[in-house]
Amino acid sequence: RRGPVPPGSQRDRKVEGPLLERFQTLDPDNALRLVSRTPGDLTTLFGSIFPSELLQAADLLAFEMNLASPAKVHLFVKTSDAAKAKELAAGLQNETARWLTLPGSDFVLTTEPPKVEQKNETLDLRVDIPEGAARLFLERLAKVQPAPTPGP
């Protein structure tokens, strides 16, 4: 049994069910792992790290990135049903820039159309992420403003 909760804080939420299962399948050796059962809230927490269309299409989102060279991303998306997953998979493969561009930038999370595996309402994709996109993604997660580039 845990002791009293300090004033102004709350007990951690218990992580269970699909969220815990998805988190446990992510590689614990990767530098960054992020899972959300309310993907739309990610913008509030971290700023614009994914396109709003992707967040709206997802009922659960899991993301992991290693910082090797090149950095690699594993993205898992669960939608409300298999038809929506199929539509999203087609969009990710055929309109990669629309679905995987970091909002407000020219950086896309991959330079190649991703191979998307679909199983019912879930999508699983792995891609190499360009260095500039990886850097911007991490800056946004950390809420760090990029350093200004020196003028001529």
Side-chain angles (χ1 to χ4, degrees):
R1 194 173 162 201
R2 295 196 269 186
V5 177
S9 64
Q10 299 176 353
R11 291 194 188 278
D12 289 339
R13 291 184 177 176
K14 184 176 181 182
V15 178
E16 60 187 4
L19 185 65
L20 176 62
E21 291 167 14
R22 184 50 42 203
F23 189 76
Q24 289 176 329
T25 64
L26 298 177
D27 184 352
D29 293 330
N30 278 325
L32 173 68
R33 296 185 295 164
L34 175 71
V35 179
S36 178
R37 67 177 108 210
T38 54
D41 291 347
L42 291 174
T43 302
T44 304
L45 298 169
F46 300 111
S48 299
I49 56 174
F50 294 109
S52 59
E53 287 180 286
L54 177 62
L55 297 176
Q56 291 169 2
D59 287 346
L60 185 140
L61 184 135
F63 175 89
E64 71 180 333
M65 180 180 2
N66 72 28
L67 300 178
S69 184
K72 298 191 182 307
V73 166
H74 177 199
L75 182 66
F76 172 87
V77 179
K78 181 178 181 207
T79 62
S80 57
D81 60 54
K84 285 186 181 179
K86 184 176 182 178
E87 182 180 327
L88 180 56
L92 287 164
Q93 291 172 326
N94 300 323
E95 299 177 88
T96 305
R98 173 183 167 202
W99 291 97
L100 296 178
T101 296
L102 293 168
S105 79
D106 293 331
F107 289 109
V108 182
L109 292 177
T110 181
T111 56
E112 300 289 323
K115 180 177 183 257
V116 181
E117 295 179 24
Q118 179 184 355
K119 184 175 181 184
N120 300 319
E121 70 276 356
T122 62
L123 301 177
D124 198 340
L125 64 123
R126 295 169 193 267
V127 296
D128 290 347
I129 180 172
E131 183 180 342
R135 186 179 318 274
L136 180 60
F137 187 89
L138 292 171
E139 287 171 351
R140 288 184 177 182
L141 274 181
K143 294 188 175 183
V144 173
Q145 294 298 319
T149 54

